[in-house]
């Protein structure tokens, strides 16, 4: 075979969605899905005590109710009957980034599509390949989500670029598209949309058996934010789930120390990003 034919074959092969993922991209997908993105925070099956069940991190079934909204979290393991085992890699990428299922329906709240729409092409492919590689778990979730409004579409963002090579830009990519920290840690208006310029300010509150906790101010305000924090304190908050006041962090921030496996580099980039925001009180 001549070299140009080989090049053509190679281009075809790498361009085919669903072609053999490399060990590196599977590992990247695992890190994004299981650690930084932590899809299990919503997609895990939960026991009667509300705690995630080990080994069922992506098997779904949890129901989140908020006022008139009821979200039934689907099984995203590759089980053919009860999960997404019949979806191609391209269909999974479309579901994550555009919130569109293969049947054309839109995926609703609280799946953070507004953030996931800007996951880079390579990272979305790595996540989809990883999701197709995990053991299928048979779990038929009960009922369907219902929303008191039409579920919005999320038009595709063409050729989503990877984050620029600066700590602040990489941190912004992790805090937004990948880990959706800003989903909880931003000020929202009465319509529940994030108020531009209030990113990182105090955000959503969560009530559970642990009481009510509020996603705290992560801007560099020296009075109410992380303006006086060191990288070591920020690392302790993510890895050991201890807040600035020394108390253990409660769910959904306290999540069984999954972020203990986050790399030093990613934590430092997140810190650089939050410290670059305008300080807000
Ligand atoms: C904050 C909660 C939340 C997080 C975090 C979350 N999801 Fe979802 N996801 C949902 C909900 C809720 C639905 C179903 C919404 C509906 O019924 O319209 C969903 C649906 C999906 C679907 C469509 C499955 C189907 O059968 O319809 C896929 C695929 C998916 N999520 C993948 C992911 C991946 C990958 C991640 C992590 C990168 C993730 N989700 C993180 C809440 C979440
Ligand atoms: C699903 C909602 C949610 C997401 C996503 C989330 N957080 Fe939080 N976060 C909270 C809540 C709620 C608290 C307060 C918990 C408490 O008081 O026990 C908190 C607390 C914190 C604290 C402690 C602040 C202090 O003053 O002690 C830090 C630091 C933090 N989050 C960083 C992050 C980072 C970085 C990310 C993304 C990698 C993130 N959070 C994603 C909800 C969230």
């Amino acid at each position: 075979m001549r070299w140009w034919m080989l090049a053509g074959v190679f281009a075809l092969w790498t361009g085919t969605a669903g072609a053999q993922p490399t060990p590196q991209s599977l590992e990247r997908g695992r890190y994004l899905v299981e650690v930084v993105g932590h899809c299990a925070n919503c997609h895990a099956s939960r026991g009667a005590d509300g705690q995630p069940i080990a080994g069922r991190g992506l098997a779904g079934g949890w129901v989140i109710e908020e006022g008139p909204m009821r979200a039934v979290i689907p099984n995203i393991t590759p089980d053919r009957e009860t999960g997404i085992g019949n979806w191609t890699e391209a269909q999974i990428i479309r579901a994550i980034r555009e919130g569109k299922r293969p049947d054309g329906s839109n995926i609703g709240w609280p799946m953070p599509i507004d953030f996931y729409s800007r996951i880079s092409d390579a990272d979305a492919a790595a996540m989809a390949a990883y999701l197709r590689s995990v053991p299928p778990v048979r779990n038929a979730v009960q009922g369907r989500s219902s929303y008191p409004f039409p579920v919005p579409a999320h038009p595709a963002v063409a050729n989503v670029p990877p984050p620029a090579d600066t700590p602040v830009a990489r941190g912004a990519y992790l805090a937004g598209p990948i880990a959706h920290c800003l989903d909880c840690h931003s000020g929202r208006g009465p319509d529940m949309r994030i108020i531009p310029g209030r990113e990182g300010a105090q955000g959503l509150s969560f009530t559970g058996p642990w009481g009510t906790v509020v996603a705290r101010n992560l801007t560099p305000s020296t009075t109410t934010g992380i303006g006086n924090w060191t990288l070591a304190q920020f690392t302790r908050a993510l890895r050991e789930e201890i807040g600035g006041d020394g108390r253990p962090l409660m769910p959904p921030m306290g999540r069984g120390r999954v972020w203990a496996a986050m790399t030093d580099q990613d934590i430092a980039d997140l810190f650089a990003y939050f410290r670059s925001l305008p300080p807000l009180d």
Side-chain angles (χ1 to χ4, degrees), residues 108-180:
W109 175 90
M111 172 81 176
I113 309 287
D114 284 336
F115 290 97
Y116 292 166
S117 60
R118 287 172 293 116
I119 295 175
S120 77
D121 294 354
D123 281 349
M127 290 164 111
Y130 172 73
L131 286 175
R132 281 161 56 92
S133 78
V134 302
V137 178
R138 204 177 162 77
N139 181 33
V141 307
Q142 301 299 313
R144 301 199 55 168
S145 302
S146 60
Y147 303 97
F149 46 77
V151 179
H154 295 267
V157 181
N159 300 320
V160 186
D165 199 20
T166 63
V168 170
R170 287 195 308 259
Y173 177 69
L174 296 170
I178 298 290
H180 71 111

Side-chain angles (χ1 to χ4, degrees), residues 39 42-43 73-74 87 101 107-108 110-111 116 127 145 147 180:
C39 312
C42 291
H43 283 277
I73 313 271
W87 298 17
R101 295 188 187 85
I107 298 171
M111 172 81 176
Y116 292 166
M127 290 164 111
S145 302
Y147 303 97
H180 71 111

Side-chain angles (χ1 to χ4, degrees), residues 215-232:
R216 303 191 203 162
N217 183 353
L218 297 184
T219 73
S221 154
T222 50
T223 47
T224 57
I226 61 165
N228 293 323
W229 284 40
T230 60
L231 174 59

Side-chain angles (χ1 to χ4, degrees), residues 10-231:
F10 184 70
L12 256 179
W13 183 71
T14 50
T16 309
Q20 290 305 335
T22 62
Q24 290 86 336
S25 83
L26 276 181
E27 172 48 28
R28 173 79 181 156
R30 186 199 63 79
Y31 179 68
L32 295 173
V33 167
E34 305 285 359
V35 182
V36 199
H38 194 218
C39 312
N41 209 28
C42 291
H43 283 277
S45 306
R46 288 171 185 258
D49 58 357
Q51 292 302 315
I53 303 172
R56 296 172 73 90
L58 301 170
W62 190 37
V63 177
I64 303 179
E65 288 184 292
E66 182 84 37
M69 291 184 271
R70 180 183 158 86
V72 182
I73 313 271
N75 177 351
I76 55 169
T77 74
D79 184 61
R80 285 186 179 278
E81 269 129 56
T82 64
I84 58 170
N86 292 323
W87 298 17
T88 64
E89 189 177 304
Q91 286 172 329
I92 299 175
I93 293 173
R94 194 153 183 240
I96 298 172
R97 283 209 301 209
E98 297 168 45
K100 190 69 83 189
R101 295 188 187 85
D103 68 6
S105 62
N106 294 332
I107 298 171
W109 175 90
M111 172 81 176
I113 309 287
D114 284 336
F115 290 97
Y116 292 166
S117 60
R118 287 172 293 116
I119 295 175
S120 77
D121 294 354
D123 281 349
M127 290 164 111
Y130 172 73
L131 286 175
R132 281 161 56 92
S133 78
V134 302
V137 178
R138 204 177 162 77
N139 181 33
V141 307
Q142 301 299 313
R144 301 199 55 168
S145 302
S146 60
Y147 303 97
F149 46 77
V151 179
H154 295 267
V157 181
N159 300 320
V160 186
D165 199 20
T166 63
V168 170
R170 287 195 308 259
Y173 177 69
L174 296 170
I178 298 290
H180 71 111
C181 318
L182 297 175
D183 201 3
C184 298
H185 287 275
S186 296
R188 287 176 188 259
D191 60 356
M192 287 307 286
R193 285 181 185 271
I194 292 175
I195 305 167
R198 297 292 298 176
E199 289 87 359
Q202 178 178 312
L204 297 179
S205 61
F206 297 85
T207 302
W210 59 86
T212 295
V213 288
V214 179
R216 303 191 203 162
N217 183 353
L218 297 184
T219 73
S221 154
T222 50
T223 47
T224 57
I226 61 165
N228 293 323
W229 284 40
T230 60
L231 174 59

